[in-house]
Amino acid sequence: MKLRSWIFAGAVVVVMPLAALSAADWGGAAQAPVPGLTRAPAAKSDARFSVVTVASGLDHPWGLQFLPDGRMLVTERVGRLRLVTGKGRLSPPVAGVPDVLTNSGQAGLFDVVLDPGFAQNHILYVAYFERRPRGQGLSVARAKLEDSAQPSLTGLKIIFRAKPETGPAINLGGRLVANKDGTLFVTVGDRFTERDKAQDLSADNGKIVRINSDGSIPNDNPFVSRKGARAEIWTLGHRNPEGLAIRPSDGSLWDVEHGAKGGDEINLIKPGHNYGWPVITYGVDYSGEKIGIGTSKPGMDQPVYYWDPSIAPSGMAFYTGNLFPQWKGNLFIGALKFKSVRRLVMRADKVVGEETLLGDLGERIRDIRQGPDGALYILTDNTNGRILKLIPKA
């Protein structure tokens, strides 16, 4: 089998052929579909909508967040953070953004979220890839947004650095969720060639971690007393989660993550649980070779839903608005590979229907958020990325 070499930050890494940076899938299904876990019946609602461009000219926008006054914060993977008005006017790049590594693999500035007390304290958090003296890794910083003609971040403090610092700039994670209890969830990818560390509690690779807003560790984290374990770990056995959301109806935490060739997963995240990667998976390696031992093992959770072939999922949102009452309770997920939005009809914790939306746009979808107006806002991932808005068609 022919291997291919890539150079990341001066280090040569040998990988399987066609292991593209988007982690997308090339080829057909890896195995027969499992009823109830994939290929849900086609769903069709009677919702008619228009797609409105709110803003354009963004360079690979990655994360979107609404301010209390309705304006938006949007990150660009090239290392910029911008304020955007409802009419689409972009601010100058926000000053004081941390030093972001952008010239390697999937590296860049990723998600942005507001502190639950933002209306009073103006605190926000950003996830990004950072060059370090001994390597490189995913980091999270906390700062105060100074809102003026030249917006800036002040008092910036790095509150989390994923360890170890080895591996290529691929499968990085980077999604954030700020919980009402003051804790922060962070997704950390497996770093591709380091995938076995997803099962290693001494490493952050392939984990969802939970920290306090100041970077300290909550004393009720599941592995906080486990000798040799990193205390910030909340769950393990993930590949590359690029979507993370709390379901408003019950406060449960969900992720969506890239598989390899097949096996993209939606998971209901429970503290201390192991989601299997790379021991169990519904995908195969890019070479077509088997990964792990199969699709199940005692003590490892099954996904709620998976895709095979892969859709390369990124960004997710539960819809609770009134503009589209037909969509209440549905889960929306962006697809990078098939350039669409997937609407998933949920019944309790099961996916019972799937509809493909916006497939005619021909654009990679990076993030999805529900706006305060009840509309769905979508980021398209390219050098002239846009913020799109779905509103009911008159």
Side-chain angles (χ1 to χ4, degrees):
M1 179 177 58
K2 185 178 180 181
L3 302 179
R4 181 174 296 177
S5 295
W6 298 84
I7 298 177
F8 296 99
V12 177
V13 179
V14 179
V15 299
M16 297 298 179
L18 296 180
L21 299 182
S22 67
D25 167 69
W26 296 267
Q31 61 173 41
V34 178
L37 291 185
T38 190
R39 302 187 188 180
K44 180 69 175 176
S45 75
D46 59 357
R48 300 174 68 249
F49 59 86
S50 298
V51 182
V52 177
T53 298
V54 176
S56 58
L58 295 160
D59 194 340
H60 293 283
W62 211 97
L64 181 69
Q65 189 68 214
F66 284 89
L67 296 178
D69 63 6
R71 290 178 300 160
M72 291 163 276
L73 279 168
V74 61
T75 61
E76 296 174 273
R77 191 161 57 95
V78 293
R80 290 191 293 262
L81 176 67
R82 296 193 189 255
L83 279 166
V84 187
T85 68
K87 295 183 178 180
R89 185 179 66 83
L90 301 178
S91 75
V94 175
V97 171
D99 188 12
V100 179
L101 175 60
T102 61
N103 62 352
S104 179
Q106 299 165 347
L109 181 61
F110 303 132
D111 213 358
V112 56
V113 295
L114 306 184
D115 187 84
F118 180 88
Q120 291 74 42
N121 62 26
H122 303 286
I123 298 295
L124 55 75
Y125 309 90
V126 291
Y128 63 102
F129 205 61
E130 177 192 40
R131 189 184 303 280
R132 304 175 190 166
R134 298 185 178 181
Q136 54 191 9
L138 180 77
S139 298
V140 177
R142 166 192 170 111
K144 183 177 181 179
L145 177 65
E146 300 289 351
D147 192 358
S148 61
Q150 172 55 67
S152 63
L153 299 183
T154 61
L156 188 133
K157 176 187 176 184
I158 298 174
I159 60 171
F160 173 71
R161 283 187 166 110
K163 298 293 183 67
E165 300 166 324
T166 56
I170 304 177
N171 293 359
L172 305 178
R175 280 293 170 204
L176 303 173
V177 163
N179 203 4
K180 291 179 180 179
D181 65 3
T183 60
L184 191 68
F185 292 104
V186 186
T187 71
V188 185
D190 70 352
R191 299 291 292 273
F192 193 64
T193 58
E194 307 293 309
R195 70 189 188 191
D196 288 342
K197 288 187 172 69
Q199 291 294 320
D200 182 353
L201 288 174
S202 70
D204 289 315
N205 303 55
K207 310 298 193 303
I208 294 174
V209 306
R210 177 178 178 248
I211 58 176
N212 290 318
S213 61
D214 62 358
S216 62
I217 306 300
N219 58 18
D220 59 345
N221 272 9
F223 302 106
V224 73
S225 300
R226 178 81 64 90
K227 185 178 179 180
R230 296 196 64 81
E232 64 268 19
I233 293 173
W234 189 249
T235 56
L236 65 153
H238 303 283
R239 187 171 183 266
N240 185 25
E242 288 192 356
L244 192 67
I246 291 176
R247 183 164 61 180
S249 62
D250 61 5
S252 56
L253 183 67
W254 297 66
D255 91 329
V256 63
E257 56 190 84
H258 295 263
K261 187 176 181 180
D264 296 343
E265 294 182 357
I266 300 172
N267 291 300
L268 174 56
I269 302 301
K270 298 179 180 180
H273 283 223
N274 186 338
Y275 293 86
W277 176 259
V279 178
I280 62 171
T281 177
Y282 285 95
V284 297
D285 218 330
Y286 294 104
S287 65
E289 294 184 354
K290 182 180 178 181
I291 298 173
I293 65 169
T295 59
S296 64
K297 182 180 179 179
M300 294 183 175
D301 286 25
Q302 288 291 297
V304 169
Y305 195 71
Y306 73 90
W307 286 275
D308 184 11
S310 296
I311 66 167
S314 184
M316 64 191 302
F318 288 95
Y319 187 74
T320 62
N322 295 319
L323 283 186
F324 298 101
Q326 312 95 317
W327 290 352
K328 279 199 173 184
N330 290 180
L331 177 59
F332 289 81
I333 291 173
L336 295 165
K337 179 179 184 292
F338 287 111
K339 300 178 179 180
S340 59
V341 170
R342 301 303 173 96
R343 180 179 72 90
L344 301 176
V345 181
M346 306 295 296
R347 183 176 299 151
D349 297 338
K350 298 293 183 183
V351 176
V352 297
E354 179 174 357
E355 181 179 17
T356 299
L357 304 174
L358 304 185
D360 57 342
L361 285 181
E363 295 199 59
R364 290 158 50 91
I365 305 301
R366 175 60 73 181
D367 199 14
I368 301 179
R369 304 284 177 174
Q370 179 181 315
D373 57 358
L376 277 176
Y377 289 75
I378 293 165
L379 295 183
T380 67
D381 180 50
N382 54 60
T383 54
N384 185 26
R386 296 188 288 166
I387 303 174
L388 304 178
K389 177 181 179 180
L390 303 191
I391 58 173
K393 182 174 286 187

